[in-house]
Amino acid sequence: MKPYEVLAHTADVGLRFYGKDYEELLRHAALGLFELMTDVQTLHREKSAKQSDFTCSLQAENASELFLSWLRELLFQFATRRLVPTQIDFESLTEKRLQAHLQGPLFDPKRHEQRTEVKAVTYHAYKFEKRPDGYVAEVIFDI
């Protein structure tokens, strides 16, 4: 199963994420979001980049809301700390709560490729679906 695909959108950018289970969906969403903003593979291979980590605890009414909260938290950490996580360890995960430890390099706009500036994770045309073969979510990002 592919991790994500880009959706056609006139003014913003959308991604459709896939996961065989909820954890994989969250991981693929993180990868897709950061790939919009920078060259994740190159940044992850760079040994001289400063490293950082943090623990994320989120709670929501359901899996759909928690998924959006996850993306918003990742975007917030990138905007405020410049963190691009290379390692995500889910310490606990249900469809209503998650606790994860993230670590990885810090993005440096002077040294690393800048792609699309993502301003927000939106509800516009948001879709979240649990299927027999896994999960699918579609998100439009304000750029």
Side-chain angles (χ1 to χ4, degrees), residues 28-81:
H28 290 171
L31 175 63
L33 172 62
F34 288 111
E35 278 287 330
L36 283 176
M37 297 186 287
T38 189
D39 180 353
V40 172
Q41 298 306 318
T42 299
L43 186 61
H44 287 189
R45 285 192 302 266
E46 185 181 296
K47 301 293 185 210
S48 62
K50 291 182 182 177
Q51 301 286 311
S52 185
D53 69 320
F54 83 102
T55 298
C56 169
S57 296
L58 299 171
Q59 185 173 323
E61 292 293 316
N62 54 51
S64 175
E65 291 297 319
L66 185 60
F67 180 77
L68 284 179
S69 293
W70 169 247
L71 286 171
R72 288 182 176 126
E73 180 65 24
L74 293 173
L75 183 58
F76 175 77
Q77 292 300 323
F78 181 81
T80 59
R81 300 174 64 166

Side-chain angles (χ1 to χ4, degrees), residues 12 40 129 133:
D12 294 315
V40 172
E129 186 178 359
D133 62 338

